[in-house]
Amino acid sequence: MVLIQKGQPTAAVPLLILATEAHPAQARAWAALGVAYAAQGMYDLAEPPFAHACDLDPKLPDACYYEGRALYALGRFE
């Protein structure tokens, strides 16, 4: 998340992929991966991690919201 906050989402992606592989049940890692992709305008790649984060922990702040935003950006949400 620090890399994303510093405006370096591209550098954050490989680290977040490693985090999701090491801790597949960690909703925060999946949401952060979605944020890294979305920050680059890659909503097609952002939506699956957001959806997974939302499925793992629907109460996680903004995970489900960001899934909806990614779907909207892809024209798949009304």
Side-chain angles (χ1 to χ4, degrees):
M1 287 304 297
V2 172
L3 289 171
I4 295 169
Q5 292 170 349
K6 289 183 176 183
Q8 300 173 15
T10 305
V13 167
L15 299 173
L16 291 167
I17 289 172
L18 289 173
T20 60
E21 290 171 349
H23 305 282
Q26 179 55 259
R28 290 184 189 280
W30 287 101
L33 179 58
V35 168
Y37 284 132
Q40 298 174 74
M42 299 176 171
Y43 299 106
D44 57 327
L45 296 175
E47 190 275 327
F50 284 143
H52 194 60
C54 184
D55 289 342
L56 287 171
D57 186 358
K59 294 181 181 178
L60 180 66
D62 297 327
C64 298
Y65 171 76
Y66 285 139
E67 177 190 7
R69 287 196 45 116
L71 289 169
Y72 183 81
L74 293 168
R76 299 185 351 219
F77 187 83
E78 295 178 16

